[in-house]
Amino acid sequence: EPEVTQTPSHQVTQMGQEVILRCVPISNHLYFYWYRQILGQKVEFLVSFYNNEISEKSEIFDDQFSVERPDGSNFTLKIRSTKLEDSAMYFCASSGNRGVYEQYFGPGTRLTVT
Amino acid sequence: SQKIEQNSEALNIQEGKTATLTCNYTNYSPAYLQWYRQDPGRGPVFLLLIRENEKEKRKERLKVTFDTTLKQSLFHITASQPADSATYLCARGNQGGKLIFGQGTELSVKP
């Protein structure tokens, strides 16, 4: 069964450093999302992406964040200058259609900022 | 603002019983609600989706209802098994696909 994959599974970085989290969505999906979950808290929407453009972003997704689909398979989330409060589990998700359809989530990347 | 509220208290039930989880939303009805399962340290896994104009949806031992008057969705697992133990997330979605999740309800099914 197709699945969303994410790398690395765990990333440790120092405050102020740039990190890139990578995702490979399901191959025939066109809609991509990033969510994050701070330990013990809700899963929070960050951004949705379609046709090489951001469709919607949350207040969390400020100028420090960017997303890119550099090729036909990868979808990346970059945090330019990490803060302690960026420590969280980051989930990539993809969907075959926009809106009223299920999303398939990856296993997540645990980001620890020290 | 749009919110999703789930009972934050863990639900403990005996194997074979029906588990019922509650999801309440604020403001206007969402176009749809989705239910996901999340195991510790893992990503959410989609279970069921119910649209605003649907009253009930079923899939095997799972059933979800959508009551726009009460602004509530109920999620039922019948004949529960220890393997059903997990955190269950309710999410409201918009037409663009953005999901707003509740905090989840942890279910524990004892043998």
Side-chain angles (χ1 to χ4, degrees):
Chain A
E1 188 172 325
E3 57 182 19
V4 176
T5 59
Q6 291 185 243
T7 54
S9 56
H10 191 188
Q11 174 91 47
V12 181
T13 190
Q14 288 192 328
M15 198 166 50
Q17 295 296 305
E18 174 182 287
V19 293
I20 298 176
L21 310 183
R22 291 183 167 79
C23 167
V24 179
I26 293 172
S27 63
N28 61 346
H29 283 185
L30 300 175
Y31 301 90
F32 313 116
Y33 309 87
W34 283 100
Y35 294 83
R36 79 170 186 191
Q37 186 174 31
I38 295 170
L39 189 63
Q41 296 188 25
K42 298 180 186 185
V43 176
E44 299 175 288
F45 170 82
L46 292 178
V47 67
S48 57
F49 189 86
Y50 168 69
N51 199 25
N52 280 322
E53 287 185 346
I54 289 175
S55 304
E56 189 171 0
K57 59 184 181 179
S58 72
E59 294 171 354
I60 303 167
F61 195 90
D62 62 21
D63 292 344
Q64 293 300 312
F65 290 86
S66 63
V67 288
E68 193 179 29
R69 188 151 161 86
D71 53 44
S73 58
N74 290 284
F75 179 49
T76 62
L77 174 70
K78 183 194 291 186
I79 309 175
R80 287 188 186 79
S81 178
T82 49
K83 307 184 191 75
L84 293 175
E85 55 264 36
D86 293 328
S87 294
M89 194 76 150
Y90 287 79
F91 295 109
C92 171
S94 71
S95 175
N97 285 283
R98 187 182 185 192
V100 193
Y101 294 92
E102 63 268 30
Q103 294 180 19
Y104 294 82
F105 283 75
T109 292
R110 179 168 300 284
L111 176 65
T112 302
V113 183
T114 61
Chain B
S1 63
Q2 305 159 27
K3 285 187 180 176
I4 289 283
E5 302 284 346
Q6 292 183 257
N7 190 348
S8 57
E9 284 185 28
L11 180 62
N12 297 302
I13 64 167
Q14 207 65 33
E15 182 176 7
K17 301 291 185 186
T18 296
T20 299
L21 286 67
T22 304
C23 172
N24 296 293
Y25 61 88
T26 60
N27 298 328
Y28 57 88
S29 284
Y32 56 97
L33 289 167
Q34 297 190 18
W35 284 87
Y36 288 79
R37 169 183 173 140
Q38 187 176 30
D39 290 284
R42 308 290 295 274
V45 175
F46 172 79
L47 296 174
L48 277 171
L49 179 154
I50 186 164
R51 290 174 171 76
E52 186 183 9
N53 60 354
E54 296 173 321
K55 296 293 184 193
E56 183 180 295
K57 265 286 191 55
R58 290 176 186 259
K59 178 182 171 183
E60 297 172 354
R61 294 184 296 112
L62 308 180
K63 184 178 87 171
V64 64
T65 62
F66 195 163
D67 188 326
T68 55
T69 303
L70 294 178
K71 295 192 175 183
Q72 183 178 84
S73 175
L74 298 179
F75 178 79
H76 306 272
I77 306 175
T78 57
S80 58
Q81 304 163 2
D84 295 326
S85 298
T87 296
Y88 290 86
L89 310 177
C90 175
R92 65 181 293 161
N94 66 11
Q95 293 298 337
K98 169 185 173 181
L99 293 177
I100 297 173
F101 284 88
Q103 69 270 37
T105 298
E106 185 179 348
L107 172 66
S108 178
V109 182
K110 304 295 184 189

